[in-house]
Amino acid sequence: MTRVTTFGAQALYHLRHPTWRGVALSLAALPTLVLLYFILLIPFTPSIRDIQKSRTQQPARVMSADGQELAAFKGANRDRIKLADISPNVVAALISTEDHRFYEHHGLDFTRIGGAVLRTFGGDLQGGSTLTQQLARNLYPEEVGRSRSLTRKFKEIITALKIEAIYSKDEILETYLNTVPFLYNAFGIEMAARTYFDKSADKLDVLESATLVGMLKGTSYYNPVMNPERAKERRNLVLGQMVRHNKLDAKRYETLKKRPLKVDFERQTEPLGAAPHLTQFLRRWLIDWADRNDYNIYADGLVVRTTIDSRLQKLANEAVKRQADRLQGVANNEWGPRAWAGKKELVRALVRETPEYKVAKEQGEADEALLKRLLADTAFVQALRQDKTRLQAGFLALDPSNGHVKAWVGSRDFAKDPFDHVQQARRQAGSTFKPFVYGAAFENGARPTDTYMDDAVEISLGGNQVWRPTDGGGPSYVPMTLREGLMYSKNTITAQVMQSVGPARVAALAQAAGVRQSKLEQVMSLALGTSPVTLKEMVAGYATIANKGSYIEPFIVTSLEDRNGKVLETWQAKAPEQAMQVSTAQTLVDVMRGVIDQGTGVGIRSRYGIQADVAGKTGTTQDNTDGWFILMHPQLVAGAWVGFNDNRITLSDYWGQGAHSALPIVGDFFAASLRGRVVDAQARFDVPKNSTAPEPAPSSSVNDWFNSLFPPAGQVVPPSQPMTTPDGSPIPGYQPPPQVQAPPLVPQSPGVVIPSSPAPGAAPPQFVVVPGRPMTPQERGGGSGGGIPILREYSVPEGASRP
């Protein structure tokens, strides 16, 4: 080595101080210097181990608990296939055009290199790379590079020689055809075949094969979609090369070269999988794990085992799509062009937030002129309206006994909205937060039978500030138990409960139960769910209630394996934490059964026919910005949120309520889960049903009672007949006047507001109902609206309404 170094130094000296003898010595030394430089570059090229792995590289896969693939983490949009599954026409075209001595050389074609050098000196820049050298560039674009330099060429040659030493010729061909890029995010011959000809690679004919191989000289320049004439010329050149190398008959060539391209273009999208929001979250987690443990998630064939149940995930996807699509139709009607045009100030504000406005503003266009121009652009306004009024939803289901996440739907469509409304979005929870208020009271010794007066509430906040929570129909001026306050979601009762226990205690219980990432403001209005939280936190909180007050952090990944099934690491759910007393959790479960049996969640029974032992709560925030519903079952807790990404966009008073927006998603999901026996319909909470809680009246009894109150249109109500409940008890403070003509019951679109309790002697209210649906919160006098409070327990039965 000393001699070589000295020799090299002498050569450099003579290059700096040229003489005839020095030039001769330098030229003699150049091969040694080149060889030395070549050897020094070897450690800076891919290792033998890396090249061995690339031949069998496999993407990491995410698997459900029942063994179904949820996602595969591919480095590019490709489907790797065997050489036997590739049309022979492709191989013939490729070798004829790119490297006809492929089976004769060992990575370097010296004949081709020599010819390329001579043509380059003659002014015709030529490449001499073999397929193996091209594969080296495709596999290792960063390590080898693509710059026109001696260093890059040496790295390419070194890598090609390593590939030839490890791979067979067929393996080189297979790997090459699976990695070569073809534009439009299509990598490999299988994706190219689907993209340009809508068929698999084994079905490609001679013309199609020649077209795709022809693209390799310059994918953009010979793009058959954008540059069909160039692509056709290049295709025919490839066909000519096939004739030259005896891969195609000359007579057939004369016929084929006249035919058109016949491209059947369809851009291929990477499969999103059954739970794309969850798997994207897991991709980030796995990348971090792989970096720390020297693995490649795109090549090493890692297998991630999760808690997801593919059956429940499928049902959740279907329920979200079905119900959200239905609600989108409502949103389209409520936010049609006429309604949109009527919201001038809002629309102007939305326009000012668009990229188009901001770019034009930065370029100096005046505000009013810019607004006028954009508002006059019909396509722009329509696109903005569609974007802002696109309804969104999130859904999560987990097993309360162990925290295992069973289904996760982050939005209606990941491709259109990758934002995750399960874990990322923070929205006001509305009345779904109320169980934590009542739970804090029960922890403090209160009982479900304790009563408060449903009266106007004024709570001093200090500093001359007064909080006046109300319900839509005003107070009923009757005493209500805590059980009734939660069942019917009465804001006035909940506010008084909050006043008795204090915001700090409520916030502490909610945080212990599962709301652990979002900050809860310790203010009185927290009782009505004004602090933004995530759906994941709320479902976890309800799972704590269902799990006898024991919190288990939601849990997803159970193990990680290598490609051979060897377990690399396992995980278990964290130890349970007792967030509330067992008796408190049991009391909440029993009270919240009443929400489903008679309260704001009766649609679970009446509409979806679910008779299992379930409990839950609806939630609706101010101006119907957010709709929530969470349902608890001994084996599964599931919750949904529905709303718009921009909270200035809302639904109407009827459709915006959680009972009509979020409840249908959960109801649909649970009904299907029970029918499919994925969830046991016979499972019961270990909580006795409180004997003092009123049972839901049989439908026939309700029907008879309803008809006795409101006889057919035109029939006269007997004088001084008191209005009573089905069990015969009088309605406090209500006595119809003599000879009142019963109003007709008119079926029409839901959403009417029922007036609050009339004074004695006033005419009975005009009911407008929809056949076979539960009474709305307005009709029941719930927290979302007013009504006749005593009617809050009963549903409008099938056949009760008459034209």
Side-chain angles (χ1 to χ4, degrees):
M1 178 60 75
T2 303
R3 183 179 177 186
V4 171
T5 305
T6 304
F7 190 53
Q10 291 174 347
L12 290 173
Y13 173 82
H14 289 300
L15 284 173
R16 293 193 186 101
H17 306 84
T19 64
W20 284 112
R21 181 172 178 275
V23 169
L25 288 173
S26 298
L27 290 174
L30 278 177
T32 305
L33 290 173
V34 169
L35 178 61
L36 177 62
Y37 185 57
F38 187 88
I39 293 171
L40 290 174
L41 284 176
I42 291 176
F44 298 96
T45 59
S47 68
I48 295 294
R49 178 173 174 268
D50 289 336
I51 293 173
Q52 286 174 328
K53 286 170 60 177
S54 68
R55 181 175 61 190
T56 57
Q57 62 180 227
Q58 297 175 14
R61 294 181 299 146
V62 179
M63 307 297 292
S64 68
D66 52 329
Q68 300 300 307
E69 184 177 294
L70 298 174
F73 297 149
K74 302 175 183 177
N77 190 19
R78 66 163 62 94
D79 271 356
R80 192 178 183 93
I81 57 175
K82 299 290 185 182
L83 186 63
D85 297 323
I86 299 172
S87 169
N89 295 315
V90 174
V91 176
L94 178 67
I95 292 177
S96 298
T97 307
E98 295 294 323
D99 191 355
H100 67 274
R101 279 185 288 270
F102 173 70
Y103 285 104
E104 300 167 17
H105 62 67
H106 298 287
L108 299 179
D109 186 344
F110 291 103
T111 302
R112 188 174 182 184
I113 291 173
V117 170
L118 291 176
R119 285 193 292 271
T120 299
F121 278 126
D124 181 15
L125 189 64
Q126 292 286 319
S129 295
T130 62
L131 282 175
T132 315
Q133 289 173 269
Q134 293 179 41
L135 176 59
R137 293 198 300 265
N138 291 340
L139 285 179
Y140 306 104
E142 294 182 7
E143 294 89 337
V144 172
R146 294 188 179 275
S147 62
R148 293 183 179 276
S149 67
L150 185 63
T151 298
R152 194 273 299 170
K153 200 65 181 177
F154 278 1
K155 286 184 176 181
E156 178 187 293
I157 291 171
I158 293 167
T159 306
L161 292 174
K162 290 180 180 179
I163 291 172
E164 287 276 348
I166 298 169
Y167 287 14
S168 70
K169 287 293 185 178
D170 283 354
E171 287 171 338
I172 291 172
L173 275 177
E174 180 181 299
T175 307
Y176 179 92
L177 286 168
N178 275 295
T179 56
V180 66
F182 281 97
L183 291 181
Y184 304 110
N185 197 34
F187 289 80
I189 193 66
E190 178 68 13
M191 277 297 172
R194 293 186 209 168
T195 300
Y196 296 99
F197 297 106
D198 193 25
K199 60 175 61 175
S200 58
D202 64 330
K203 299 293 193 299
L204 291 170
D205 62 24
V206 174
L207 286 174
E208 294 161 345
S209 299
T211 302
L212 295 178
V213 169
M215 290 181 67
L216 300 179
K217 187 175 179 63
T219 50
S220 295
Y221 192 79
Y222 296 110
N223 180 352
V225 177
M226 304 302 294
N227 302 304
E229 290 303 318
R230 289 180 196 159
K232 184 178 178 181
E233 289 177 9
R234 179 65 184 169
R235 179 204 69 183
N236 290 344
L237 189 149
V238 172
L239 293 173
Q241 289 294 99
M242 294 177 70
V243 172
R244 180 181 175 186
H245 297 290
N246 300 315
K247 302 295 183 182
L248 182 66
D249 182 75
K251 290 183 178 179
R252 191 179 178 204
Y253 164 70
E254 292 299 327
T255 301
L256 291 176
K257 72 177 183 179
K258 299 173 184 177
R259 293 184 182 175
L261 286 177
K262 291 188 177 180
V263 171
D264 188 358
F265 177 74
E266 183 176 352
R267 188 188 295 267
Q268 302 296 301
T269 57
E270 186 174 354
L272 296 174
H277 290 86
L278 172 63
T279 52
Q280 288 307 304
F281 165 71
L282 291 179
R283 183 197 289 265
R284 294 189 293 271
W285 169 83
L286 186 58
I287 287 173
D288 182 61
W289 184 94
D291 287 346
R292 287 186 281 106
N293 292 276
D294 194 26
Y295 282 90
N296 184 330
I297 74 166
Y298 304 117
D300 289 338
L302 297 172
V303 178
V304 182
R305 302 283 178 186
T306 72
T307 61
I308 295 293
D309 186 310
S310 67
R311 299 165 298 173
L312 293 175
Q313 183 66 41
K314 180 176 183 291
L315 295 177
N317 289 336
E318 291 171 350
V320 169
K321 175 172 174 49
R322 183 160 43 242
Q323 301 302 332
D325 285 354
R326 169 176 163 268
L327 273 178
Q328 186 65 61
V330 174
N332 292 344
N333 287 332
E334 294 186 355
W335 286 94
R338 181 176 297 180
W340 183 261
K343 301 280 187 179
K344 292 183 180 180
E345 289 307 311
L346 173 59
V347 172
R348 288 165 69 91
L350 295 174
V351 169
R352 287 189 174 98
E353 295 168 6
T354 61
E356 292 85 346
Y357 176 90
K358 292 177 180 178
V359 169
K361 189 69 174 173
E362 288 173 0
Q363 294 174 350
E365 193 168 350
D367 178 73
E368 285 302 320
L370 176 54
L371 282 173
K372 185 176 181 180
R373 177 172 66 81
L374 290 175
L375 289 171
D377 186 337
T378 304
F380 167 80
V381 172
Q382 182 178 355
L384 177 62
R385 179 171 61 84
Q386 289 177 343
D387 176 61
K388 290 296 182 178
T389 60
R390 184 177 297 119
L391 193 82
Q392 280 306 334
F395 177 92
L396 181 70
L398 55 83
D399 185 336
S401 67
N402 54 23
H404 287 193
V405 174
K406 294 298 183 180
W408 179 313
V409 184
S411 73
R412 289 175 61 195
D413 186 340
F414 181 87
K416 292 181 179 178
D417 188 0
F419 186 67
D420 188 357
H421 295 86
V422 170
Q423 185 166 255
Q424 291 178 292
R426 284 183 166 81
R427 305 294 290 242
Q428 291 185 344
S431 295
T432 50
F433 194 83
K434 288 177 181 177
F436 301 128
V437 180
Y438 289 84
F442 298 148
E443 285 275 282
N444 202 37
R447 297 170 300 177
T449 53
D450 293 346
T451 60
Y452 287 89
M453 182 62 68
D454 181 19
D455 201 345
V457 174
E458 291 189 356
I459 298 175
S460 175
L461 303 178
N464 296 322
Q465 290 185 311
V466 177
W467 183 40
R468 297 183 178 89
T470 61
D471 294 294
S476 62
Y477 304 106
V478 296
M480 296 187 74
T481 64
L482 295 190
R483 178 184 295 277
E484 292 176 314
L486 184 54
M487 280 171 54
Y488 307 123
S489 202
K490 294 292 291 185
N491 292 340
T492 53
I493 303 300
T494 307
Q496 294 175 73
V497 175
M498 172 63 106
Q499 187 178 29
S500 70
V501 296
R505 188 169 291 171
V506 171
L509 180 65
Q511 288 165 341
V515 186
R516 299 198 168 194
Q517 282 74 50
S518 300
K519 181 181 178 181
L520 298 176
E521 289 190 76
Q522 296 183 17
V523 295
M524 294 299 294
S525 62
L526 175 63
L528 307 185
T530 55
S531 279
V533 294
T534 67
L535 177 60
K536 183 181 176 184
E537 290 174 310
M538 291 300 295
V539 173
Y542 276 57
T544 297
I545 298 171
N547 193 36
K548 298 182 180 180
S550 182
Y551 168 76
I552 302 176
E553 184 177 325
F555 178 64
I556 301 169
V557 178
T558 58
S559 66
L560 191 59
E561 302 170 3
D562 68 10
R563 69 172 69 209
N564 299 314
K566 178 184 176 182
V567 177
L568 302 175
E569 194 165 350
T570 59
W571 292 269
Q572 293 181 341
K574 292 183 179 179
E577 303 172 33
Q578 201 65 34
M580 64 183 75
Q581 299 176 48
V582 174
S583 60
T584 297
Q586 291 179 323
T587 300
L588 281 173
V589 166
D590 186 46
V591 170
M592 293 165 72
R593 281 167 168 158
V595 175
I596 305 304
D597 291 339
Q598 300 159 295
T600 57
V602 291
I604 288 295
R605 303 268 193 232
S606 63
R607 179 173 177 182
Y608 294 98
I610 296 172
Q611 298 304 314
D613 188 9
V614 291
K617 186 73 186 75
T618 57
T620 309
T621 62
Q622 189 170 3
D623 298 325
N624 303 303
T625 302
D626 307 275
W628 294 75
F629 182 70
I630 306 175
L631 191 65
M632 298 181 291
H633 177 275
Q635 295 178 341
L636 200 65
V637 174
W641 165 89
V642 173
F644 298 90
N645 284 336
D646 191 318
N647 60 18
R648 291 168 292 185
I649 309 296
T650 63
L651 287 172
S652 62
D653 286 343
Y654 180 86
W655 292 109
Q657 295 169 17
H660 302 130
S661 59
L663 183 147
I665 294 176
V666 179
D668 188 339
F669 166 81
F670 251 101
S673 302
L674 292 164
R675 281 197 306 271
R677 298 185 180 180
V678 188
V679 177
D680 184 4
Q682 303 305 315
R684 293 289 182 267
F685 284 108
D686 185 18
V687 180
K689 201 157 190 177
N690 193 304
S691 60
T692 62
E695 293 289 336
S699 60
S700 59
S701 162
V702 173
N703 195 59
D704 294 342
W705 166 76
F706 193 94
N707 285 326
S708 71
L709 285 179
F710 297 99
Q715 183 174 328
V716 175
V717 179
S720 303
Q721 177 180 325
M723 196 176 275
T724 61
T725 63
D727 60 10
S729 58
I731 296 177
Y734 188 86
Q735 182 91 4
Q739 301 296 317
V740 173
Q741 182 169 307
L745 303 180
V746 185
Q748 59 178 348
S749 297
V752 297
V753 177
I754 305 303
S756 57
S757 301
Q766 168 74 55
F767 275 79
V768 184
V769 299
V770 174
R773 64 158 173 82
M775 297 178 74
T776 66
Q778 285 93 342
E779 293 162 352
R780 287 189 300 274
S784 298
I788 303 176
I790 201 66
L791 299 186
R792 60 185 176 266
E793 295 129 68
Y794 308 109
S795 299
V796 179
E798 292 285 353
S801 55
R802 297 176 294 275

